[in-house]
Amino acid sequence: MIARRTTFGSVFGAQPELCVQKQHQDVPMGRAEFVGLIAMMYATIAFSIDAMLPVLPEIARELSPELAHRAPLILTAFVLGMGIGTFFTGLLSDAFGRRPVIFAGTALYCAATIVAWNSASLEMMLIARLFQGLGASAPRIVTIAVVRDLFAGREMAKIVSFIMLIFTLVPAFAPAMGALIVQTAGWRAIYLTFLVFSAISVIWMGLRLPETLRPENRRPLRVPLLARALREILSHPAVRLPILVQSLAMAMPFCTLMLVQPIYEQVYDRASSFPYWFGGVALIAGSGSILNALLVERFGMRPLVTITLGFQIILSGGMWLAGVADMAEPYGFAAFLIWQLCLFMQAGLTLGNLNAIAMEPMGHIAGMAASVIGAISTVLAALIASFVGMLFTGDVSLLFGAIACMAATGFVLMLFMTRVEARMSAAQ
């Protein structure tokens, strides 16, 4: 049984407690502790990706010296596994409860982490990272379901906003942590850090947060329902088009994450200072979500996404045509830094809006639609980013050109989406 006191104090002050009752015993958890727990579990994703950035050169030198450019696939293998897992974790938690799915996902994540730590080849590490992503999809999806079990409406929005605030800080510090670990204990120690991080969060949850989904509220796992929802989603043009644009909008930062460390090292000779530049960019880029909140009511979701993609066409296309990749120092690096900041800010101005656009016609199957839309877009983005990453040989212009092409494709799809919606409205 779950009970909430009717009044809460300040968010991080001496507030009343969130009371979870299990086996006739109240287990008190304040809101600050709850936010910290959920944010830590959710941050497993960002930590598992961004802390790897400064480690990639070391891994390449040891496991794949002849094909060092394949090392960034370590990032997209994780994202691909996470996208595949997103299809199922929400449905499994609705059927079996939140805790069993999080425990199972964490166990898979930890087992894959041990395999990755002990890998003797890049191929084995890529397989391990794929399964790491599968395991990490459980805390990514199910923790938000836990928040929904306990809160609703504005209370839920406030809790999620604090979780996301903490989550956005992780990319700013994770690369510096990864670099410190490499310098003190070697690159394999980063996987032991992942293991400890995940173990702390799941033990914390196991001790302090009982099951939040009552047995009477669970729904049987029905694969035919998932198949039917998938057909409905993919057959609806007003959903299919924003999924494609969302995939492209996700692929852009994924491509940059894959290649940003090699670019800093090989092109601009700033390997030692990379974690600090990246952290500063990540902190400033977090304002993209705040900017979106200020602009979306004025311009609307569709126009704002279209304008943002149009700006990216001009920016990335201009960088490519102007030959910024061949510009002398320090001007070339300064231009790349500004471009990187704009690209990461773009995520806050597009991804949430595109997800909301895709969800609009799917209110009757919202939960299942959220899983399907998130899974498809993540998998497609990982595949696109992997393809671009495999082509990279140290030429920054490839990244500028690839981003410009993706932005142009997304821009055209957004214009086409407007016409499709107009035709659908006229037909009703």
Side-chain angles (χ1 to χ4, degrees):
M1 172 178 182
I2 301 168
R4 287 194 302 274
R5 304 285 175 84
T6 55
T7 59
F8 287 88
S10 62
V11 174
F12 294 109
Q15 75 279 17
E17 296 166 338
L18 168 68
C19 294
V20 183
Q21 190 180 64
K22 186 180 181 183
Q23 298 177 347
H24 309 291
Q25 182 180 6
D26 284 339
V27 181
M29 177 178 282
R31 188 186 294 196
E33 182 184 357
F34 179 76
V35 170
L37 169 62
I38 299 300
M40 184 175 183
M41 298 186 71
Y42 201 81
T44 301
I45 304 297
F47 188 46
S48 299
I49 295 174
D50 296 308
M52 293 297 297
L53 293 175
V55 183
L56 296 179
E58 299 289 333
I59 296 176
R61 279 189 284 270
E62 182 171 334
L63 300 184
S64 184
E66 298 86 7
L67 297 170
H69 65 280
R70 297 193 307 170
L73 291 175
I74 291 170
L75 304 179
T76 51
F78 180 88
V79 174
L80 181 61
M82 184 179 64
I84 295 171
T86 302
F87 270 114
F88 309 105
T89 48
L91 295 174
L92 290 171
S93 73
D94 285 344
F96 302 109
R98 312 305 187 201
R99 282 166 59 96
V101 174
I102 291 178
F103 286 144
T106 303
L108 178 59
Y109 175 89
C110 291
T113 300
I114 294 172
V115 174
W117 167 67
N118 200 40
S119 293
S121 68
L122 183 62
E123 290 75 17
M124 179 57 69
M125 183 172 290
L126 292 177
I127 295 172
R129 288 285 287 179
L130 180 73
F131 282 94
Q132 247 195 328
L134 280 170
S137 66
R140 179 200 182 195
I141 299 299
V142 181
T143 49
I144 299 303
V146 169
V147 176
R148 181 61 186 87
D149 291 338
L150 299 175
F151 298 95
R154 293 183 180 180
E155 271 192 296
M156 179 182 175
K158 186 182 293 185
I159 293 292
V160 171
S161 67
F162 280 111
I163 291 169
M164 292 303 172
L165 176 62
I166 298 173
F167 173 74
T168 55
L169 295 177
V170 175
F173 300 103
M177 292 175 60
L180 180 62
I181 292 168
V182 171
Q183 293 170 5
T184 56
W187 68 262
R188 292 186 186 272
I190 195 71
Y191 285 111
L192 299 181
T193 307
F194 293 161
L195 202 62
V196 172
F197 187 88
S198 183
I200 290 173
S201 64
V202 79
I203 291 172
W204 184 5
M205 188 207 76
L207 294 175
R208 297 288 290 166
L209 186 66
E211 178 59 57
T212 59
L213 183 65
R214 301 177 185 178
E216 61 270 22
N217 292 334
R218 298 178 189 179
R219 292 176 290 181
L221 184 63
R222 297 176 180 174
V223 177
L225 289 180
L226 177 61
R228 191 162 65 225
L230 183 61
R231 285 195 301 270
E232 182 177 354
I233 289 167
L234 295 181
S235 64
H236 201 303
V239 180
R240 184 172 62 244
L241 289 172
I243 289 176
L244 293 175
V245 180
Q246 186 175 350
S247 301
L248 294 167
M250 291 179 70
M252 293 183 213
F254 284 170
C255 285
T256 308
L257 281 174
M258 283 186 67
L259 303 179
V260 68
Q261 198 284 331
I263 288 173
Y264 272 68
E265 179 182 21
Q266 300 170 23
V267 179
Y268 298 114
D269 194 26
R270 283 178 168 81
S272 59
S273 59
F274 162 71
Y276 311 109
W277 288 111
F278 186 89
V281 168
L283 278 176
I284 300 172
S287 63
S289 297
I290 300 173
L291 185 62
N292 181 70
L294 296 174
L295 296 178
V296 71
E297 290 189 6
R298 179 176 179 181
F299 293 101
M301 292 184 294
R302 292 163 181 78
L304 186 57
V305 171
T306 307
I307 292 170
T308 303
L309 292 175
F311 173 79
Q312 188 59 246
I313 297 171
I314 296 171
L315 178 63
S316 295
M319 299 280 278
W320 178 60
L321 292 173
V324 171
D326 302 319
M327 191 178 294
E329 287 290 294
Y331 306 107
F333 178 68
F336 178 80
L337 203 63
I338 294 170
W339 176 84
Q340 180 189 345
L341 174 61
C342 292
L343 181 71
F344 285 170
M345 286 189 69
Q346 174 186 293
L349 292 163
T350 55
L351 295 180
N353 293 331
L354 287 164
N355 191 67
I357 294 170
M359 288 290 294
E360 273 184 318
M362 297 288 115
H364 57 294
I365 53 169
M368 201 171 295
S371 292
V372 171
I373 291 168
I376 292 174
S377 58
T378 303
V379 169
L380 287 177
L383 293 175
I384 294 170
S386 297
F387 176 73
V388 174
M390 291 291 288
L391 297 176
F392 181 73
T393 57
D395 185 3
V396 184
S397 61
L398 169 71
L399 183 58
F400 293 150
I403 299 299
C405 289
M406 283 185 264
T409 304
F411 183 81
V412 171
L413 289 173
M414 290 301 297
L415 296 179
F416 185 62
M417 188 191 312
T418 302
R419 295 184 179 180
V420 169
E421 290 176 342
R423 287 200 300 266
M424 291 176 64
S425 299
Q428 291 177 352

